[in-house]
Amino acid sequence: QKEVEQDPGPLSVPEGAIVSLNCTYSNSAFQYFMWYRQYSRKGPELLMYTYSSGNKEDGRFTAQVDKSSKYISLFIRDSQPSDSATYLCATGRLGGSQGNLIFGKGTKLSVKP
Amino acid sequence: DSGVTQTPKHLITATGQRVTLRCSPRSGDLSVYWYQQSLDQGLQFLIQYYNGEERAKGNILERFSAQQFPDLHSELNLSSLELGDSALYFCASGDNGYTFGSGTRLTVV
């Protein structure tokens, strides 16, 4: 079983739709959960970062973590064509000088005008 | 601009050659991480340095090596290059939530 699994898509939605992106992870010791957005041929950009179960909201983006089922989600409300990108979930144990993130393979999202 | 600088942006080289990729972390960040991204494997962690010392190692081949210098910039050395080494190589810095550079696209021909 891979440590982080993510449906690669592609996912195509109309502008204004609510988008749901999901990942599962296998290691219950993982403490931190992140979502990155990556535009084509660019570096990943940190969108959301949380370390607890529950929801975290930032504008149109909501990250949700359920540690009991090892499930993480990203919701995008009122999706825009500019949201078209690949979304990567990441998790791991961080803190100070040690640790590294494990990334999902990414879900490619296309928002059609 | 993320604050993490990677050079060069593009590199084309022949099989068997050796290349060096360079990364300058964000100001104040002591940790540097190197990742390889290919179409089929996604982002794969290679190695981490913290304040000049190696701290964690991932799926890094023996033909690859890295180091972090006193000024905190880091270099990733790739030798005896093979066609399969063609990928995007990213550097990231930070301890809680990584900031990525724009990457080096390596093409081995």
Side-chain angles (χ1 to χ4, degrees), chain A residues 32 34 36 38 41-46 49 88 93-105, chain B residues 10 31 33 35 37 40-43 45 48 50 55-56 88 90 95-102 105:
Chain A
Y32 293 83
M34 301 176 189
Y36 284 81
Q38 185 175 22
R41 297 174 177 258
K42 302 288 186 185
E45 168 196 358
L46 181 64
Y49 167 36
L88 302 152
R93 286 172 291 189
L94 295 178
S97 60
Q98 297 187 6
N100 68 85
L101 286 177
I102 299 169
F103 284 81
K105 288 194 174 184
Chain B
H10 303 279
S31 284
Y33 305 81
Y35 281 82
Q37 187 176 42
D40 56 342
Q41 293 294 319
L43 264 172
F45 170 67
Q48 176 202 358
Y50 179 82
R55 285 303 178 98
L88 269 167
F90 287 106
D95 290 319
N96 293 310
Y98 300 170
T99 299
F100 281 82
S102 56
R105 180 173 294 277

Side-chain angles (χ1 to χ4, degrees), chain B residues 5 7 15 19 21-22 25 28 40-41 44-45 50 63 65 68 79 81 85 91 93 101 105 107:
Chain B
T5 304
T7 55
T15 53
V19 297
L21 313 183
R22 183 187 168 104
D40 56 342
Q41 293 294 319
Q44 297 290 310
F45 170 67
Y50 179 82
R63 301 183 285 110
S65 65
Q68 186 178 28
S79 61
L81 285 167
D85 297 327
C91 160
S93 73
R105 180 173 294 277
T107 303

Side-chain angles (χ1 to χ4, degrees), chain A residues 36-56:
Chain A
Y36 284 81
R37 177 176 62 197
Q38 185 175 22
Y39 292 112
S40 182
R41 297 174 177 258
K42 302 288 186 185
E45 168 196 358
L46 181 64
L47 272 181
M48 302 285 285
Y49 167 36
T50 182
Y51 56 88
S52 59
S53 279
N55 293 352
K56 181 176 181 179

